[in-house]
């Protein structure tokens, strides 16, 4: 029996059910995609479902890919408590009093939001013209921004604004909104994959491509052109974060071996009845194709964590939330939030409320909480601009509470349970300790390095890098291809100075998806994290390098460091990096914190001659002068040592008192012992002057005339 023959029986039962079916092109075949209008026309010709609604979900035809119809499917007080968002709100323990005020969030969903609901107060705006409002869209919107008129329904960002779209033309509208400044949007839907129960038909439908596998839906975990498109949007708009529900496929087992169901037969072009045995969707490898995009934040659903996180045992995975890995082994989902029993708005009236469960509820629990983190960043970092999407996402992953098997990430909970309060506290810490949160650029062939010091007071040193990776190249319509989708492969290491130890990031083994994380070289994910438990008092070097050649010549990455007592930008890796080429200011050294230190005097007790890198006694004659005139003018020789001066007054007497050469100091020094030539004397310049005979001749004459002196 074909579905066409059965549709008339159920035409009156059709209600709004939202399923998205996704397929990729066969290997080496053109990926032919018909848009929604063409798909609806084909559906009418073939009797396919176009749109249905049940209390469980919504399903709507979106496209036809390679002849196969593709459908979208939809995948709070306790929610805020579970991830500690309530502690950040007014009245919370943090005293931060955050509300999301001034922040505009976005939502794409399976219908319009009842913007007149009493919880929205004019803060929700429908940006397009959907045919009707829908309970699912309104419930998601309330989880994000409900003001708390009914306290149990209070949203995560109760004063934020919300721009709303239905999911038709979503990627085009997302680009336009991101270009206009939208920072975060929620998408609680994805392509229908594997088994889905269509209650209006009372039958199971299987959405796998039988041309690839008759037992397993190859679209689970597959990176396709749809994954690529989301990564491309994120790369083009690096401040825009897409938040996506992980999906609810893990509990879908189908009718069991040999059970009857409908499947799409590409040969006939119709949904046909089959009793072939096909695999259940779970446990592992049951993520939809959009969820596996690298640059989005995919959210898994956990049960209520009443009172907030209290250890690994306080976090219980829901029975339905989809698990990874992706086909290439990446860590997905990214994060977990409360998705069980969320009380929020419905669209029946402006006072309509109810409780729903699903990853559709976990996703707005997370995305709505991002509003208060954006508000807090803007308030504490007013001059820095908004965080990049890689920073906002990385902040959430870095501060997540441990959940799942063993330490580190896993394919169930992702990086753990979101903790909004811890994320807000890290933002606060960055104000007083720069580089706790930073955005860096790694150029091709370069190394980024920063010194990190721990004083022994922290139980762990944790470092995380996150980056918006260029879109990958879809491997084709294959079953579980392992081709890596990572383009720019950055590598994070923490290197302890003493004892010399290198710490590597977490890695998961997709071949053993239930095993706990180990550490090693991660060549798969665009988030890497290194943790040093009980680091004590130590010094580390944090290094970021890369493999191969960076696409685009560089890669911006977000860096997070917690547990450090001091963080400083690295000036050097070795002494050679500090050498300024000047001999006379000493040999500069690179200390344990990778900071350059000035060198000691290379010539203690001597002088330094830069021209030939020599320690000498003198550089010129002035350095040799002893201040004594009478021992000659000392000179500096070519070897840089002082030579004594020669006699400055050869044949004369040296006058030290007056720094001169003289013949005499007093008259007696000039007496030649001959009275007949007069009395010589010493003049003021120390030169002997001859004596005069005139006085002596007159005296002789007088004595001669008087007969004195014995003359006769």
């Amino acid at each position: 029996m074909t579905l066409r023959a059965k549709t008339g029986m159920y035409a009156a039962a059709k209600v709004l059910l939202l399923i998205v079916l996704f397929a990729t092109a066969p290997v080496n075949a053109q990926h032919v995609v018909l848009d929604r209008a063409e798909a609806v026309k084909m559906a009418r010709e073939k009797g396919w479902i176009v749109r249905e609604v049940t209390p469980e979900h919504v399903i709507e035809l979106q496209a036809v890919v390679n002849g196969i119809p593709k459908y979208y499917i939809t995948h709070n007080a306790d929610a805020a408590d579970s991830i500690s968002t309530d502690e950040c709100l007014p009245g919370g323990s943090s005293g931060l009093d955050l509300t999301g005020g001034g922040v505009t969030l976005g939502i794409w969903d399976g219908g319009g939001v009842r913007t007149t609901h009493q919880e929205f107060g004019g803060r929700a705006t429908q940006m397009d013209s959907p045919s009707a409002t829908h309970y699912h869209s309104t419930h998601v919107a309330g989880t994000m921004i409900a003001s708390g008129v009914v306290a149990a329904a209070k949203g995560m960002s109760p004063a934020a604004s919300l721009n709303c779209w239905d999911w038709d033309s979503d990627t085009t509208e997302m680009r336009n909104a991101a270009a206009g400044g939208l920072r975060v949007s929620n998408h609680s839907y994805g392509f229908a994959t594997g088994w889905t129960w269509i209650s209006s038909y009372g039958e199971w439908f299987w959405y796998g491509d039988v041309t690839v596998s008759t037992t397993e839906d190859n679209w689970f975990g597959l990176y396709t052109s749809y994954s690529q498109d989301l990564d491309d949007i994120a790369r083009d708009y690096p401040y825009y974060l897409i938040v996506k529900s992980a999906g609810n496929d893990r509990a879908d087992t189908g009718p069991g071996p040999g059970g009857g169901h409908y499947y799409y037969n590409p040969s006939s072009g119709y949904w046909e009845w089959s009793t072939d045995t096909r695999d259940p969707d779970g446990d592992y490898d049951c993520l939809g194709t959009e969820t596996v995009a690298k640059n989005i934040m995919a959210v898994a659903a956990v049960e209520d964590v009443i009172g907030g996180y209290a250890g690994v045992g306080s976090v219980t995975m829901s029975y339905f939330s989809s698990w990874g890995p992706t086909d290439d082994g990446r860590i997905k989902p990214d994060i977990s939030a409360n998705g069980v029993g969320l009380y929020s708005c419905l669209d029946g009236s402006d006072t309509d409320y109810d409780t729903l469960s699903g990853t559709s509820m976990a996703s707005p629990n997370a995305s709505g909480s991002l509003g208060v983190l954006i508000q807090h960043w803007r308030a504490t970092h007013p001059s820095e601009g908004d965080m990049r999407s890689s920073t906002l996402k990385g902040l959430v992953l870095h501060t997540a509470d441990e959940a799942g098997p063993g330490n580190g990430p896993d394919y169930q909970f992702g990086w753990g349970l979101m903790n909004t309060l811890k994320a807000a506290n890290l933002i606060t810490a960055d104000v007083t300790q720069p580089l706790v949160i930073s955005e860096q650029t790694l150029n091709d062939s370069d190394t980024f390095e920063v010194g990190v010091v721990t004083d022994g007071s922290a139980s762990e040193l944790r470092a995380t890098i996150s980056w918006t990776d260029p879109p990958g190249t879809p491997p084709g319509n294959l079953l579980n291809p392992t081709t890596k989708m990572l383009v720019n492969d950055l590598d994070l290491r923490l290197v302890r100075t003493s004892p010399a130890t290198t710490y590597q990031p977490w890695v998961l083994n997709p071949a053993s998806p239930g095993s706990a994380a180990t550490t090693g070289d991660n060549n798969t994910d665009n988030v890497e994290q290194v943790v040093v438990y009980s680091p004590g008092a130590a010094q580390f070097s944090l290094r970021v390098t890369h493999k191969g050649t960076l696409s685009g010549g560089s890669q911006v990455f977000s860096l997070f460091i917690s547990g450090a007592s001091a963080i400083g930008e690295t000036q050097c890796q070795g002494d050679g990096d500090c050498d300024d080429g000047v001999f006379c200011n000493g040999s500069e050294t690179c200390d344990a914190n990778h900071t350059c230190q000035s060198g000691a005097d290379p010539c203690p007790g001597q002088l330094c001659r830069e021209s030939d890198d020599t320690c000498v006694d003198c550089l010129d004659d002035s350095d040799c002068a002893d201040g004594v005139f009478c021992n000659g003018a000392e000179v500096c020789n070519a070897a840089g040592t002082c030579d004594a001066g020669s006699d400055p007054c050869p044949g004369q007497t040296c006058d030290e008192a007056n720094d001169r050469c003289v013949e005499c100091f007093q008259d007696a020094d000039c007496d030649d012992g001959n009275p007949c030539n007069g009395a010589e004397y010493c003049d003021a310049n120390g030169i002997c002057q001859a004596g005069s005979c005139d006085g002596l001749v007159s005296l002789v004459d007088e004595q001669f005339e008087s007969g004195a002196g014995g003359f006769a």
Side-chain angles (χ1 to χ4, degrees), residues 263-334:
Y263 81 104
Y264 184 78
N265 185 343
S267 298
S268 68
Y270 293 104
W271 292 92
E272 297 183 353
W273 186 254
S274 173
T275 57
D276 291 346
T277 297
R278 311 189 196 279
D279 294 341
D281 291 348
D283 281 337
Y284 292 96
D285 187 19
C286 55
L287 292 170
T289 186
E290 288 184 312
T291 306
V292 307
K294 295 178 289 185
N295 299 325
I296 69 168
M297 188 168 80
V299 185
V302 299
E303 295 183 6
D304 293 345
V305 187
I306 303 300
Y309 183 77
V312 174
S314 66
V315 187
T316 302
M317 175 59 62
S318 66
Y319 72 89
F320 50 79
S321 188
S322 295
W323 291 352
T326 65
D327 285 349
D328 63 329
R330 281 177 290 112
I331 301 167
K332 289 285 178 175
D334 296 292

Side-chain angles (χ1 to χ4, degrees), residues 627-633 646-665 669 685-686:
V628 178
F629 176 76
C630 290
N631 63 4
S646 57
D647 182 0
C649 303
Q652 290 187 293
T653 300
C654 184
D655 180 4
E656 185 65 37
N658 296 298
D659 291 348
R660 61 183 183 178
C661 297
V662 297
E663 295 176 350
C664 57
F665 289 103
D669 296 333
N685 294 319

Side-chain angles (χ1 to χ4, degrees), residues 435 447-452 541-542 567-579 588-598:
L435 292 177
T447 295
F448 171 85
E449 191 160 5
V450 65
V452 178
S541 173
L542 184 152
I567 307 171
E569 290 195 38
T570 298
Q571 293 180 329
C572 54
Q573 298 180 41
D575 293 346
D577 296 333
C578 300
D579 187 3
E588 295 80 11
T589 58
C590 182
D591 67 15
N593 293 323
H594 300 275
T595 301
C596 289
Q597 301 296 329
S598 299

Side-chain angles (χ1 to χ4, degrees), residues 411-623:
Y411 293 129
Q412 303 172 21
F413 299 84
W415 290 89
L417 178 68
M418 182 172 175
N419 190 319
T420 309
L421 177 58
K422 285 174 64 175
N425 287 341
L426 198 71
I427 290 174
T428 302
D430 185 63
V431 175
T432 55
Q433 189 180 27
L435 292 177
V436 164
I437 303 173
S438 65
E439 294 172 349
Q440 307 289 343
T441 299
L442 184 67
N443 293 317
D444 206 19
S445 302
D446 278 356
T447 295
F448 171 85
E449 191 160 5
V450 65
V452 178
V453 179
T454 57
D455 60 9
S457 63
S459 61
E460 65 176 33
L461 172 63
R462 184 180 297 258
T464 304
I465 58 172
S466 170
W467 66 99
T468 300
D469 199 48
T473 301
N477 199 32
L478 302 172
L479 180 64
N480 299 322
T482 58
T483 305
K484 300 292 185 183
M485 292 297 102
L486 188 65
V487 176
N488 284 340
D489 185 1
L490 305 191
D491 291 310
L492 172 66
R493 302 290 186 269
L494 275 172
V495 182
R496 184 192 292 268
T497 302
S498 179
T501 310
T502 298
Y503 298 89
Q504 295 185 301
W506 297 114
V507 292
L508 292 177
N509 180 8
S512 180
S515 299
T518 57
T519 59
D521 181 30
N522 189 325
N523 61 358
T524 305
D525 297 286
N526 60 326
V527 175
E528 291 195 4
Q529 184 181 99
V530 178
V531 181
V532 180
Y533 295 104
S534 302
Q539 296 175 331
F540 297 84
S541 173
L542 184 152
R543 297 173 186 169
V544 180
T545 58
H546 70 88
K547 299 182 183 73
T549 300
L550 291 177
S551 174
S554 64
Q555 176 65 60
V556 176
F557 66 93
S558 304
L559 171 64
F560 310 86
I561 304 171
S562 55
S565 58
I567 307 171
E569 290 195 38
T570 298
Q571 293 180 329
C572 54
Q573 298 180 41
D575 293 346
D577 296 333
C578 300
D579 187 3
D580 61 2
V582 179
F583 172 76
C584 290
N585 62 5
S587 297
E588 295 80 11
T589 58
C590 182
D591 67 15
N593 293 323
H594 300 275
T595 301
C596 289
Q597 301 296 329
S598 299
D601 182 359
C603 302
Q606 289 186 286
L607 297 174
C608 182
R609 188 163 65 191
E610 188 66 34
S611 61
D612 58 359
D613 296 350
T614 305
C615 296
V616 296
D617 294 328
C618 58
L619 297 175
D620 55 39
D621 293 348
S622 63
D623 295 328

Side-chain angles (χ1 to χ4, degrees), residues 341-382:
L342 274 75
Y343 189 73
S344 187
C345 315
L346 294 183
D347 72 330
S349 71
D350 290 345
T351 57
D352 191 13
Y353 300 86
D354 206 346
T355 298
L356 296 177
S357 297
T359 58
S360 283
M361 284 65 250
S363 185
N365 182 204
S367 61
S369 298
L370 296 179
V372 300
L373 295 179
I374 293 172
Q375 179 192 13
H376 189 42
W377 176 269
R378 289 174 178 175
T380 55
H381 297 71

Side-chain angles (χ1 to χ4, degrees), residues 75-348:
H75 284 178
N76 273 347
D78 288 345
D81 191 21
S82 296
I83 65 172
S84 299
T85 301
D86 61 333
E87 306 299 345
C88 300
L89 301 181
S93 63
S94 68
L96 294 173
D97 295 338
L98 300 172
T99 62
V103 178
T104 298
L105 304 173
I107 173 180
W108 275 261
D109 214 287
V113 172
R114 188 180 183 98
T115 59
T116 58
H117 198 286
Q118 66 175 352
E119 293 289 350
F120 299 143
R123 292 176 292 112
T125 303
Q126 192 69 42
M127 306 299 289
D128 54 5
S129 302
S131 59
T133 62
H134 190 260
Y135 75 88
H136 186 274
S137 308
T138 306
H139 194 279
V140 169
T143 302
M144 296 176 74
I145 69 159
S147 63
V149 174
V150 174
K154 189 174 185 178
M156 305 302 110
S157 287
S161 297
L162 185 67
N163 290 343
C164 312
W165 292 263
D166 73 3
W167 58 27
D168 293 343
S169 306
D170 53 357
T171 55
T172 298
E173 292 167 345
M174 289 159 65
R175 286 183 177 277
N176 293 335
L182 187 65
R183 294 295 181 249
V184 171
S185 64
N186 188 84
H187 305 259
S188 290
Y189 59 91
F191 286 108
T193 312
W195 293 107
T196 298
W197 174 260
I198 305 298
S199 59
S200 62
Y201 284 86
E203 302 289 358
W204 284 101
F205 280 63
W206 189 73
Y207 293 98
D209 185 347
V210 294
T211 66
V212 178
S213 172
T214 60
T215 59
E216 179 181 350
D217 191 337
N218 72 298
W219 298 332
F220 281 129
L222 182 66
Y223 191 91
T224 69
S225 61
Y226 292 96
S227 322
Q228 183 185 49
D229 197 16
L230 293 182
D231 281 340
D232 190 55
I233 292 172
R235 184 74 172 184
D236 288 345
Y237 302 98
Y239 292 88
Y240 171 52
L241 179 60
I242 301 164
V243 183
K244 173 80 178 57
S245 55
N248 306 324
D249 286 300
R250 200 173 91 259
D252 293 338
T253 59
H261 60 277
Y262 281 99
Y263 81 104
Y264 184 78
N265 185 343
S267 298
S268 68
Y270 293 104
W271 292 92
E272 297 183 353
W273 186 254
S274 173
T275 57
D276 291 346
T277 297
R278 311 189 196 279
D279 294 341
D281 291 348
D283 281 337
Y284 292 96
D285 187 19
C286 55
L287 292 170
T289 186
E290 288 184 312
T291 306
V292 307
K294 295 178 289 185
N295 299 325
I296 69 168
M297 188 168 80
V299 185
V302 299
E303 295 183 6
D304 293 345
V305 187
I306 303 300
Y309 183 77
V312 174
S314 66
V315 187
T316 302
M317 175 59 62
S318 66
Y319 72 89
F320 50 79
S321 188
S322 295
W323 291 352
T326 65
D327 285 349
D328 63 329
R330 281 177 290 112
I331 301 167
K332 289 285 178 175
D334 296 292
I335 198 70
S336 297
N338 184 211
V340 178
L342 274 75
Y343 189 73
S344 187
C345 315
L346 294 183
D347 72 330

